[in-house]
Amino acid sequence: MSIFNYKQRNNIILVSIIVLGCFLLYALSELFSSILGAIVLFTIFRPFFLWMVERRKFNRALAAVIVIVISLVVIVIPFLSLSIMVIGKIASINRDTIPIDKWTQKIDEFTAANIGQPHFAESTLQKLGAYVADLFPSILSGAANIVLTLLVMYFLLYFMFVQMREFELGLLKYAPFREQHALKFATELRNSTYSNVLGQGIIALTQGALLANGFWIFHIPDPIFWGVIGAFISFLPVVGAPTLCIPASIVLYANGDRIQGVILLLYGILFIGNVDNVLRMLINRRIGNTHPIITVIGVFIGLPLFGILGLVFGPVLLSYFLLLLEIYETNRMAADRLERIRTGPELP
């Protein structure tokens, strides 16, 4: 006969589940990028998958494969290609056609004469190199980790789509809140994902294209490369692509092209910067509202954890966390109201 009663056995099982779950989470920490990536892609492509299955009567497995191929061609391959291009360009920047030494000297001369900082460009370039090295750790660490991450991500994504009904019903069943709150969380989850991934992606591509166009007009060497850099840093609202116009304007000004330098600076700050604000307003109206503070803090959270992917995953994770806090607060208030109803009004 067991020495434990029914309640004690349940408590022991619950503690065992929590301990084992923590151990499994720790063991799967290396694959967290794959899991989060699968969730993000599932959220983005779910309407398209349902359209293929319900409207076009596609087989679920075929529709899942189509989604995987589209995401590879549209998102993953271009992103990896641009990352590899940036790393290769930075690695060869001293021996390539970009006169980086001349630019550094010109900027240092300008800052020394005007703001008393004779080594401004040199120190900034060193910090930028260290920052970029931290930004692309997943690329620099080798192709094997990237392939493994993608294989696990698409393996999960395939079964999330093929068994979508079972997957979503399981989430509703084991969600630690009521069904209406779970549905609200799913809606907010979709809006946050769209806002952080699609919205920020549109802003980044637009700013990168405008920056490359401006550099091409003013004959800055390798405008496409700088446009790609601008697209990456556009995920940082505090920095953004317009800041790249500042050193380029200083170089033009120091070379004697003072009018062009001033025009390029105004083009970056007034035009590219305001395009960011206009697009963000439209995206918040149509997709979902993500506060810039969430984006900034999320980026600083995500970069050490995911590298370059942290530009996207960091704000998404922070948004999910805040959603859970909101639902917890709603549940707590509902529980307090039920407790007051059950116990009755307090006597004076």
Side-chain angles (χ1 to χ4, degrees):
M1 189 176 197
S2 176
I3 62 174
F4 302 109
N5 59 33
Y6 178 78
K7 185 176 181 180
Q8 289 173 334
R9 285 196 298 269
N10 274 350
N11 290 335
I12 293 173
I13 292 174
L14 179 60
V15 171
S16 301
I17 291 173
I18 294 174
V19 172
L20 184 58
C22 293
F23 175 77
L24 291 175
L25 286 176
Y26 175 77
L28 293 174
S29 60
E30 295 295 327
L31 298 177
F32 191 68
S33 296
S34 302
I35 298 171
L36 187 57
I39 293 173
V40 169
L41 291 178
F42 176 82
T43 305
I44 292 174
F45 286 100
R46 183 180 181 276
F48 178 63
F49 176 83
L50 290 176
W51 177 81
M52 287 191 293
V53 172
E54 296 178 357
R55 298 286 298 275
R56 308 301 297 178
K57 305 302 180 182
F58 281 25
N59 179 270
R60 286 180 174 269
L62 176 60
V65 171
I66 292 175
V67 167
I68 290 173
V69 172
I70 291 176
S71 66
L72 269 173
V73 173
V74 175
I75 299 175
V76 176
I77 292 178
F79 189 84
L80 290 177
S81 300
L82 291 177
S83 301
I84 293 171
M85 185 196 80
V86 170
I87 293 172
K89 198 69 176 180
I90 292 174
S92 62
I93 199 169
N94 287 325
R95 61 179 183 273
D96 208 344
T97 57
I98 301 178
I100 193 69
D101 294 332
K102 181 180 177 181
W103 287 10
T104 303
Q105 181 181 357
K106 291 285 187 181
I107 295 174
D108 283 340
E109 291 174 357
F110 179 86
T111 54
N114 292 275
I115 60 176
Q117 296 288 335
H119 303 291
F120 175 79
E122 183 180 354
S123 61
T124 302
L125 196 62
Q126 291 175 354
K127 293 178 182 178
L128 180 62
Y131 177 74
V132 171
D134 293 334
L135 196 61
F136 294 93
S138 59
I139 305 294
L140 296 173
S141 61
N145 290 335
I146 300 173
V147 172
L148 177 63
T149 299
L150 291 177
L151 286 176
V152 174
M153 181 182 72
Y154 281 119
F155 177 82
L156 294 174
L157 184 65
Y158 175 81
F159 285 102
M160 286 167 71
F161 276 127
V162 172
Q163 300 179 348
M164 185 174 68
R165 189 173 301 279
E166 293 84 352
F167 171 68
E168 293 180 343
L169 288 176
L171 291 179
L172 285 175
K173 179 179 179 181
Y174 294 104
F177 27 75
R178 301 172 65 183
E179 183 175 348
Q180 62 265 35
H181 292 152
L183 295 176
K184 177 185 177 182
F185 178 75
T187 302
E188 295 295 331
L189 185 78
R190 180 196 62 196
N191 293 338
S192 298
T193 304
Y194 283 4
S195 178
N196 284 290
V197 178
L198 296 181
Q200 293 298 325
I202 292 171
I203 292 173
L205 290 175
T206 303
Q207 287 196 318
L210 291 174
L211 183 73
N213 183 66
F215 278 23
W216 175 74
I217 292 174
F218 292 101
H219 306 291
I220 301 295
D222 218 338
I224 295 178
F225 167 72
W226 293 114
V228 173
I229 294 292
F232 278 123
I233 68 174
S234 291
F235 283 92
L236 305 172
V238 176
V239 183
T243 56
L244 291 178
C245 292
I246 298 175
S249 301
I250 294 175
V251 170
L252 290 175
Y253 192 89
N255 282 332
D257 300 323
R258 298 187 175 184
I259 296 178
Q260 292 185 7
V262 173
I263 294 175
L264 179 60
L265 183 62
L266 294 176
Y267 172 80
I269 295 176
L270 298 180
F271 184 67
I272 299 179
N274 285 318
V275 163
D276 178 8
N277 296 328
V278 172
L279 287 177
R280 197 179 300 278
M281 181 181 65
L282 294 175
I283 289 167
N284 290 344
R285 183 183 303 169
R286 291 181 174 271
I287 298 177
N289 186 12
T290 299
H291 198 281
I293 293 179
I294 295 177
T295 304
V296 174
I297 298 176
V299 164
F300 284 106
I301 292 172
L303 286 178
L305 295 175
F306 306 107
I308 186 66
L309 296 177
L311 294 174
V312 175
F313 287 168
V316 168
L317 275 179
L318 186 56
S319 297
Y320 293 173
F321 175 74
L322 294 177
L323 286 176
L324 287 174
L325 285 180
E326 180 183 347
I327 291 177
Y328 169 78
E329 181 66 19
T330 303
N331 283 344
R332 188 183 65 81
M333 293 174 62
D336 290 344
R337 285 196 299 268
L338 289 175
E339 182 66 19
R340 287 195 299 268
I341 293 173
R342 187 179 67 85
T343 58
E346 295 184 1
L347 297 176

